[in-house]
């Protein structure tokens, strides 16, 4: 496996379910990100981790709970979601946070549908 | 506050024709600028980036972009599009004083016709 992988690629869940999204990067990067991509809206940054510590939580509802057990893995735990949370959730990584010109490498995303 | 504007939501272009996608930004200094492409069902792939030096930047897949400070623009161009260029294109900005937060434009959907 190379780059940034995400599982599952598609997820359908009810509003009372608990599920988790997984992201893994094989690039040796120190920073990881969760983004939400909704139809007709710009990408929204949700969470940022650097060396397993959360750097930013962008006013995300508590029904989304991130976890970064090590610098290669990032999870997004989902609980009692709403239909408006249906979106493509993208994970990204970058070498570190310090150098602004570093690009972020994106995974393919998880398409989430909340019924 | 900084912002990124992509004025064109949707562009249709014939295969073999040239393509130009517009991106305007608002920021008090020179930002770091990026163009990403997203094919259907895929994540974002970096096409090119600008952070200093030559204002004409070459990227992958035959794309180039020109940074124009006077116009606060970073337009993406390709001389001759291929059917595989049909995708959504995102311009993004990172301020030079931030630690990594990318601000994206709303995207431009490109349709390529035969």
């Amino acid at each position: 496996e190379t780059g940034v992988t995400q599982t599952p690629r598609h997820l359908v869940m009810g509003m009372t379910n608990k599920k988790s999204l997984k992201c893994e990067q094989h690039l040796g990067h120190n920073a990881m990100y969760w983004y939400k991509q909704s139809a007709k809206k710009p990408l929204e940054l949700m969470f940022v981790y650097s060396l397993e510590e959360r750097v930013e939580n962008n006013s995300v509802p508590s029904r989304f709970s991130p976890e970064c057990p090590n610098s290669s893995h990032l999870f997004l735990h989902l609980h009692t979601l709403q239909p408006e949370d249906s979106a493509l959730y993208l994970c990204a990584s970058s070498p570190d946070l310090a150098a602004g010109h570093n690009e972020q490498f994106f995974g393919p995303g998880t398409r989430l549908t909340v019924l | 506050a900084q912002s990124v504007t992509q004025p064109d939501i949707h562009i249709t272009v014939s295969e073999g024709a040239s393509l130009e996608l517009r991106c305007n930004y608002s920021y008090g200094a020179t930002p770091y600028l990026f163009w990403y492409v997203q094919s259907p069902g895929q994540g974002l792939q970096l096409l090119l980036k600008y952070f200093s030096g030559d204002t004409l930047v070459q990227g992958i897949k035959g794309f180039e972009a020109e940074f124009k400070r006077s116009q606060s623009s970073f337009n993406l161009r390709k001389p001759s599009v291929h059917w595989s260029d049909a995708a959504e294109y995102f311009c993004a900005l990172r301020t030079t004083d931030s630690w990594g937060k990318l601000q994206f434009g709303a995207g431009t959907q490109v349709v390529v016709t035969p």
Side-chain angles (χ1 to χ4, degrees):
Chain A
E1 289 278 13
T2 58
V4 181
T5 58
Q6 290 186 244
T7 54
R9 292 294 308 277
H10 300 271
L11 178 62
V12 179
M13 59 186 290
M15 290 190 284
T16 58
N17 291 159
K18 289 184 182 181
K19 296 287 184 183
S20 296
L21 310 185
K22 178 183 176 182
C23 174
E24 184 173 2
Q25 59 96 0
H26 309 268
L27 301 168
H29 290 168
N30 291 324
M32 297 187 77
Y33 313 77
W34 278 117
Y35 286 89
K36 177 183 179 182
Q37 187 178 29
S38 305
K40 304 186 189 306
K41 292 177 66 175
L43 274 78
E44 302 171 58
L45 179 65
M46 301 175 73
F47 301 104
V48 182
Y49 277 82
S50 175
L51 297 171
E52 299 125 60
E53 288 194 20
R54 191 187 306 180
V55 175
E56 176 149 326
N57 173 354
N58 241 12
S59 302
V60 179
S62 59
R63 57 185 183 269
F64 295 92
S65 174
E67 178 190 2
C68 188
N70 55 63
S71 59
S72 298
H73 293 86
L74 185 64
F75 295 89
L76 188 62
H77 304 299
L78 315 172
H79 176 51
T80 58
L81 296 191
Q82 303 298 311
E84 60 264 29
D85 296 322
S86 299
L88 183 68
Y89 288 85
L90 291 165
C91 174
S93 71
S94 66
D96 53 49
L97 294 182
H101 60 269
N102 279 340
E103 69 174 280
Q104 291 181 15
F105 292 78
F106 285 81
T110 295
R111 173 67 62 186
L112 174 67
T113 303
V114 181
L115 302 177
Chain B
Q2 63 274 8
S3 65
V4 179
T5 303
Q6 294 181 246
D8 304 304
I9 297 172
H10 187 273
I11 284 181
T12 299
V13 59
S14 299
E15 192 168 13
S18 63
L19 175 68
E20 180 167 14
L21 304 181
R22 296 183 289 164
C23 173
N24 295 102
Y25 69 89
S26 174
Y27 180 56
T30 300
Y32 300 122
L33 294 162
F34 305 78
W35 273 101
Y36 283 86
V37 61
Q38 185 178 32
S39 298
Q42 300 297 316
L44 278 69
Q45 180 184 23
L46 181 73
L47 286 175
L48 46 80
K49 61 183 178 182
Y50 171 80
F51 52 93
S52 67
D54 194 344
T55 57
L56 186 63
V57 181
Q58 301 297 319
I60 62 171
K61 304 186 180 187
F63 285 92
E64 67 177 25
E66 186 171 13
F67 171 67
K68 292 186 177 179
R69 187 192 313 273
S70 61
Q71 298 178 19
S72 297
S73 69
F74 188 55
N75 294 348
L76 182 72
R77 297 192 293 255
K78 185 169 184 177
S80 176
V81 299
H82 186 262
W83 64 266
S84 59
D85 293 323
E88 190 155 21
Y89 292 78
F90 295 92
C91 182
L93 169 156
R94 180 182 297 142
T95 60
T96 54
D97 60 351
S98 72
W99 40 254
K101 183 173 181 176
L102 275 178
Q103 183 147 356
F104 285 87
T108 298
Q109 184 71 48
V110 173
V111 173
V112 180
T113 60

